Amino acid sequence: MKEKETKATTRQTQKNSSRSPQNLAKYRSLLLPLLIIIIYTIYQFVGGGAAADFAWSETSVTVICPDETEFTIDYADVTSLELYTGADYGTCVSGNDSGSAYYGTWENDLWGTYSLCVTQSIGNCIVMQTDDTTLVINYESEEITSALFEEIQKYCDAATVQAAALL
C-alpha cells in the first residue's frame, strides 16, 4: 500500500513540476518572440511596411525597393526637388502595382517615364529630377516623408553651394 502511495505521490510531483511558475514563465518568454515573428511575417506578406529603404552618403541617396532594385541620385545632379501631394502615379511599365507598395518603372502625363518606390497609402511623395532621371519616393508616413524631403533639400542645397565654390 505504501508503494502505491509513493508512486501516486511521484506522479503528482512530476505533474505539478511541469506546471511550476518557472516552467510557465519559460514558455511565455518563448511564446512572445514567436508571436511577434508570426505577426511580422503575415504583415509583410499582405503588403505592410515601407516600400523603400535608403542608403545615405554625403553626396548621394540610394533608394532600395522591395525587389532589391536600387536607384542612386547624386545631390549635385538634382535639377528639381518637390514635395508633391495627391499624385496620380499612372501605370506600371515594369515592377509592382499590386498591394500597398508601388515600385519600378512607371509612366504618367506629369513625369513621363520615371522610377517609383512608394507606399500607396501615403498621401505625399518626393519627386527628385536630374537631367535624365525622375525618381518618386515616400517613406512610412506623410510626416516622415515631409521630414525626409527637408533633409534631402539640405543635402541638395549644400551640394549646390559646394559646386559653386569650385567654379
Side-chain angles (χ1 to χ4, degrees), residues 63-85:
V63 180
I64 306 156
C65 295
D67 68 350
E68 302 301 320
T69 301
E70 294 184 9
F71 304 102
T72 300
I73 292 189
D74 290 336
Y75 304 122
D77 294 339
V78 174
T79 57
S80 173
L81 181 65
E82 181 181 4
L83 184 62
Y84 198 88
T85 303

Side-chain angles (χ1 to χ4, degrees), residues 59-62 71-75 77-78 128-130 133 135:
T59 59
S60 66
V61 60
T62 299
F71 304 102
T72 300
I73 292 189
D74 290 336
Y75 304 122
D77 294 339
V78 174
M128 289 186 284
Q129 294 180 311
T130 66
T133 303
L135 177 61

Side-chain angles (χ1 to χ4, degrees), residues 21-165:
Q22 294 156 340
N23 283 340
L24 289 175
K26 179 177 146 185
Y27 291 126
R28 285 186 190 136
S29 68
L30 293 174
L31 185 62
L32 183 60
L34 182 62
L35 187 60
I36 289 170
I37 290 169
I38 290 169
I39 291 170
Y40 176 78
T41 302
I42 291 170
Y43 183 70
Q44 292 301 315
F45 276 115
V46 296
D53 282 323
F54 297 92
W56 300 96
S57 77
E58 292 288 322
T59 59
S60 66
V61 60
T62 299
V63 180
I64 306 156
C65 295
D67 68 350
E68 302 301 320
T69 301
E70 294 184 9
F71 304 102
T72 300
I73 292 189
D74 290 336
Y75 304 122
D77 294 339
V78 174
T79 57
S80 173
L81 181 65
E82 181 181 4
L83 184 62
Y84 198 88
T85 303
D88 175 8
Y89 297 120
T91 57
C92 180
V93 175
S94 66
N96 181 27
D97 66 350
S98 61
S100 65
Y102 292 174
Y103 55 89
T105 302
W106 285 60
E107 189 173 69
N108 70 9
D109 292 335
L110 185 59
W111 302 306
T113 302
Y114 67 98
S115 300
L116 176 71
C117 195
V118 298
T119 300
Q120 188 266 340
S121 63
I122 298 173
N124 60 359
C125 60
I126 300 166
V127 181
M128 289 186 284
Q129 294 180 311
T130 66
D131 288 337
D132 49 36
T133 303
T134 300
L135 177 61
V136 179
I137 60 172
N138 65 20
Y139 192 65
E140 288 190 5
S141 69
E142 289 184 21
E143 294 79 19
I144 291 175
T145 298
S146 296
L148 182 61
F149 169 77
E150 291 175 14
E151 286 301 309
I152 292 171
Q153 191 169 38
K154 288 177 188 175
Y155 280 109
C156 289
D157 291 345
T160 301
V161 168
Q162 186 177 17

